[in-house]
């Protein structure tokens, strides 16, 4: 941790994820692993919130969110209650718009795993706790996530990266489809409908059709296709 704080090499985050993989299933180790995560958090936040921090340090973004995803998989309740979580989520909401394939995929996988932590394994004794914690996070940050991902898909990310956005939308709908429908509608209402030349880029009918295509999709592939087609209106 001290070396990471001094030098910022993301390989230390990768090593941390290996430790979580190996030891987070041992109850006596979770407290120490969370202390490691929290010690990593401040230098990571400082690095990434510098001007162009996310773009200049994609390896850190990648390894950081892989580490967080490991916690969600191995010790979800402890992770969801840790003091570093809000900082991690705030970074994730910005990093989900990063035009870097591996880093962006790691961030979106983190959000997908977060949603699954509140939805799957209902037979386990910690399900109610997990579900309640994730619902609170979802209600606080879900709309921002949807908004940022629409911005990313339309204005930032190349089309070959739309699949991960689509998978995240699909997971959100699996978790709470009615809320997703409302949040997507709200975002579409504030999108610019004219291009830089003042010419109408997209009609109200096309916005409605996109909303319908996404919210009624039964497979990720259908959402990906809708995102690709929709982004062309703004290119």
């Amino acid at each position: 941790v001290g070396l990471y704080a001094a030098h910022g090499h993301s390989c230390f985050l990768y090593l941390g994820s290996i430790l979580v993989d190996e030891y987070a299933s041992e109850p006596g180790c979770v407290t120490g692993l969370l202390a490691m995560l929290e010690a990593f958090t401040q230098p990571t936040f400082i690095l990434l919130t510098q001007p162009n921090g996310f773009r200049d340090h994609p390896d850190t973004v990648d390894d950081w969110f892989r580490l967080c995803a490991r916690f969600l998989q191995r010790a979800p309740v402890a992770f969801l209650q840790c003091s570093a979580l809000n900082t991690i989520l705030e970074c994730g909401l910005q990093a989900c718009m990063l035009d870097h394939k591996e880093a962006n995929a790691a961030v979106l996988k983190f959000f997908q795993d977060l949603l699954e932590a509140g939805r799957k394994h209902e037979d386990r004794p910690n399900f109610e706790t997990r579900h309640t914690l994730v619902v609170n996070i979802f209600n606080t940050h879900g709309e921002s996530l949807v908004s940022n991902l629409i911005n990313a898909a339309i204005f930032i990310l190349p089309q070959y990266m739309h699949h991960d956005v689509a998978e995240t939308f699909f997971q959100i709908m699996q978790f709470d489809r009615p809320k997703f429908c409302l949040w997507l509608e709200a975002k579409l209402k504030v999108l610019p409908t004219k291009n830089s030349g003042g010419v109408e880029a997209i009609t109200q009918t096309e916005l409605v059709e996109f909303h319908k295509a996404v919210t009624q999709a039964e497979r990720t592939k259908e959402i990906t296709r809708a995102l690709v087609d929709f982004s062309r209106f703004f290119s």
Side-chain angles (χ1 to χ4, degrees), residues 95-113:
C96 73
M97 297 184 285
L98 180 62
D99 180 6
H100 185 282
K101 191 175 189 305
E102 289 76 18
N104 187 276
V107 175
L108 295 188
K109 182 65 166 63
F110 163 75
F111 280 115
Q112 292 159 22
D113 288 348

Side-chain angles (χ1 to χ4, degrees), residues 2-233:
L3 287 171
Y4 176 70
H7 302 289
H9 297 311
S10 69
C11 59
F12 293 109
L13 300 174
Y14 173 73
L15 290 173
S17 68
I18 293 175
L19 291 174
V20 173
D21 263 343
E22 291 294 325
Y23 298 109
S25 58
E26 302 289 336
C29 296
V30 172
T31 300
L33 291 170
L34 283 174
M36 174 191 71
L37 175 70
E38 290 167 359
F40 279 149
T41 297
Q42 185 177 10
T44 302
F45 181 76
I46 291 171
L47 185 70
L48 295 181
T49 54
Q50 294 173 356
N52 301 318
F54 291 97
R55 189 175 63 189
D56 292 344
H57 303 283
D59 290 345
T60 298
V61 175
D62 188 357
D63 289 330
W64 175 243
F65 283 95
R66 287 180 188 274
L67 170 62
C68 294
R70 291 291 192 280
F71 268 104
L72 278 171
Q73 294 157 10
R74 304 293 185 185
V77 172
F79 175 77
L80 293 169
Q81 293 175 324
C82 79
S83 62
L85 184 61
N86 278 335
T87 300
I88 293 165
L89 291 168
E90 291 296 337
C91 283
L93 290 172
Q94 297 305 310
C96 73
M97 297 184 285
L98 180 62
D99 180 6
H100 185 282
K101 191 175 189 305
E102 289 76 18
N104 187 276
V107 175
L108 295 188
K109 182 65 166 63
F110 163 75
F111 280 115
Q112 292 159 22
D113 288 348
L114 175 65
L115 292 162
E116 288 192 345
R119 187 171 63 85
K120 290 193 170 182
H121 306 300
E122 295 183 32
D123 57 323
R124 295 182 182 176
N126 65 5
F127 173 73
E128 288 299 329
T129 302
R130 279 188 285 116
H131 179 72
T132 299
L133 290 167
V134 174
V135 165
N136 290 337
I137 293 166
F138 181 75
N139 289 339
T140 302
H141 299 286
E143 186 168 11
S144 294
L145 178 61
V146 171
S147 176
N148 287 1
L149 287 177
I150 287 292
N151 284 340
I154 294 174
F155 302 116
I156 301 171
L157 302 180
Q159 292 180 0
Y160 68 82
M161 291 174 63
H162 285 179
H163 174 79
D164 290 326
V165 175
E167 179 61 33
T168 307
F169 282 166
F170 187 76
Q171 292 295 336
I172 294 173
M173 286 194 285
Q174 294 287 98
F175 192 79
D176 192 331
R177 188 178 293 262
K179 272 201 174 73
F180 175 77
C181 293
L182 290 173
W183 290 340
L184 181 60
E185 180 182 1
K187 177 60 180 178
L188 296 179
K189 284 181 177 178
V190 298
L191 277 180
T193 57
K194 294 182 179 180
N195 62 26
S196 57
V199 178
E200 186 175 60
I202 189 166
T203 66
Q204 187 63 35
T205 299
E206 288 162 338
L207 288 169
V208 171
E209 288 175 350
F210 171 70
H211 185 276
K212 182 178 179 181
V214 173
T215 57
Q216 294 185 1
E218 296 183 357
R219 295 182 301 167
T220 299
K221 185 183 294 185
E222 297 167 17
I223 303 174
T224 303
R225 189 180 305 117
L227 284 169
V228 169
D229 292 343
F230 189 65
S231 67
R232 291 187 178 125
F233 289 114

